[in-house]
Amino acid sequence: MGRRRSGIGIALVTGVVLVGASACGGGGNDKAGGDDSPKAPGKPSASASPSPTKPLGPPMLLDTITPQTGTTVGVAMPISVVFSDPVAAKARATVEKHMKVSASQPVAGAWHWFGDKRADWRPKTYWPSGTRVKIDVDVKGVDNGNGRYGVHDYTHTFKIGDDVRADVSVGGHTMKVTRNGRMLRTLSINAGSDQFPTWNGTMAVIDKQDKVHMTSCSVGISCDKGSPNYYDLTLPWDVHLTWSGTYVHYSTGDPSPGSGSARGSHGCVHLSLSDAKWFYDQVKQGDPVTITGSPRAKAPADNGYAAFNLSWSEWLAGSASGEGTTATL
């Protein structure tokens, strides 16, 4: 990518508009969090079973539950539940008790609220590979503390797949990729420049697209085609890490990344074309990509699915009911 200023803009995936996400958003406010909107990319709708029961008041509904039912995800993937309307602090402990997490083996974890609409459940440490997981959100008749009552129950089931991890060294210009503890490859990379540094920390893969349309105009850099900062590119093999626009991908402006070229990106992690395709084929939603050595802070935990950027004590501080162990599935 050509150099650009930071900012929140729009990245266009082929056929899809990613609202609130910038392509390779290296700058911006480090305190900015994620987008709880159902229009955010990669956020599937929750599945519901209708209830004939007449609600006690206006309905409390869910916008999304992630992961989608029937999917296989990585070891760092939280369960993310987004409500259509705010849940009052006084009601959250009750609501949490009605969001039951079951697993095929016991896993310690807890809920954490990001604002008043999004609650994520993460294990204390990464999920064990092969674990089958079920989330039952049975909120029929449950009050959200603001006069709304649940009218549906929601159930999603998913599986934890192979333990695939990517560890990026910004200073070393490398990405080490492992599967189930076995080293697969060490890839040459370039991360963000000093002006547009990459987020540090662990980010679970949100999704991936084989092509993403990235423009300087959409992120507020320049809409002037004569400007040296103008770009309008469709780039391949894009692995999505944050709502604010961090990707691992190939860039035509940095075709041979590594310590020899040392060309900084605008916050993304660049791979060569062949390495980008290989990495794209290895990873899935929920696989952890951990970046170290950048001068930037860790990505906010709700900027995508970066739950493991909070310590366990920090995570529990956002929970209404505290640590618990999954029910038996």
Side-chain angles (χ1 to χ4, degrees):
M1 296 289 295
R3 291 189 177 182
R4 68 169 184 78
R5 296 176 185 174
S6 64
I8 297 176
I10 299 175
L12 302 180
V13 181
T14 304
V16 181
V17 178
L18 303 190
V19 179
S22 62
C24 294
N29 186 344
D30 285 0
K31 295 182 180 179
D35 179 6
D36 289 339
S37 167
K39 297 180 181 179
K43 294 194 173 184
S45 297
S47 57
S49 300
S51 168
T53 304
K54 183 178 179 180
L56 299 174
M60 174 177 64
L61 301 173
L62 270 61
D63 280 345
T64 60
I65 298 175
T66 307
Q68 282 187 308
T69 195
T71 56
T72 297
V73 299
V75 297
M77 188 68 204
I79 299 168
S80 186
V81 177
V82 179
F83 292 84
S84 298
D85 296 280
V87 176
K90 64 183 179 182
R92 290 175 195 167
T94 299
V95 170
E96 286 180 20
K97 291 176 182 178
H98 285 81
M99 298 192 296
K100 180 182 176 182
V101 181
S102 303
S104 58
Q105 56 184 300
V107 177
W111 291 99
H112 180 101
W113 289 83
F114 296 108
D116 54 13
K117 291 185 179 180
R118 174 177 169 180
D120 285 13
W121 193 98
R122 57 155 270 204
K124 188 173 183 178
T125 58
Y126 288 162
W127 293 100
S129 292
T131 304
R132 291 178 291 108
V133 186
K134 182 180 180 183
I135 169 69
D136 290 296
V137 183
D138 184 3
V139 291
K140 288 186 290 186
V142 176
D143 183 4
N144 74 347
N146 291 314
R148 290 183 175 271
Y149 294 84
V151 293
H152 296 310
D153 56 13
Y154 306 78
T155 299
H156 279 212
T157 58
F158 59 95
K159 182 180 178 180
I160 308 303
D162 284 345
D163 184 350
V164 177
R165 308 186 191 192
D167 292 288
V168 175
S169 168
V170 172
H173 297 275
T174 60
M175 172 192 282
K176 297 181 184 297
V177 183
T178 62
R179 177 183 287 117
N180 299 325
R182 181 175 66 88
M183 178 65 67
L184 296 181
R185 287 190 188 180
T186 298
L187 310 177
S188 295
I189 65 98
N190 281 334
S193 65
D194 290 339
Q195 186 178 4
F196 303 105
T198 305
W199 290 112
N200 270 313
T202 297
M203 291 147 275
V205 171
I206 297 171
D207 54 34
K208 59 183 183 179
Q209 301 93 34
D210 59 2
K211 294 180 181 178
V212 173
H213 185 199
M214 302 181 182
T215 73
S216 57
C217 190
S218 69
V219 291
I221 298 169
S222 176
C223 297
D224 178 7
K225 292 184 179 180
S227 168
N229 290 319
Y230 180 85
Y231 59 82
D232 186 341
L233 299 168
T234 298
L235 298 172
W237 313 127
D238 306 278
V239 176
H240 194 188
L241 301 184
T242 68
W243 296 138
S244 60
T246 307
Y247 289 83
V248 178
H249 71 129
Y250 169 73
S251 173
T252 54
D254 188 17
S256 301
S259 58
S261 67
R263 296 185 62 179
S265 74
H266 297 95
C268 286
V269 175
H270 289 169
L271 295 170
S272 71
L273 183 59
S274 60
D275 285 349
K277 174 62 166 64
W278 178 85
F279 183 66
Y280 180 93
D281 289 340
Q282 303 306 310
V283 296
K284 59 190 173 297
Q285 183 184 45
D287 286 340
V289 177
T290 300
I291 299 173
T292 57
S294 174
R296 199 173 189 189
K298 291 182 179 181
D302 60 343
N303 189 357
Y305 303 115
F308 286 92
N309 281 346
L310 295 180
S311 68
W312 188 236
S313 60
E314 290 171 329
W315 189 262
L316 291 178
S319 176
S321 55
E323 180 178 336
T325 302
T326 55
T328 302
L329 183 60

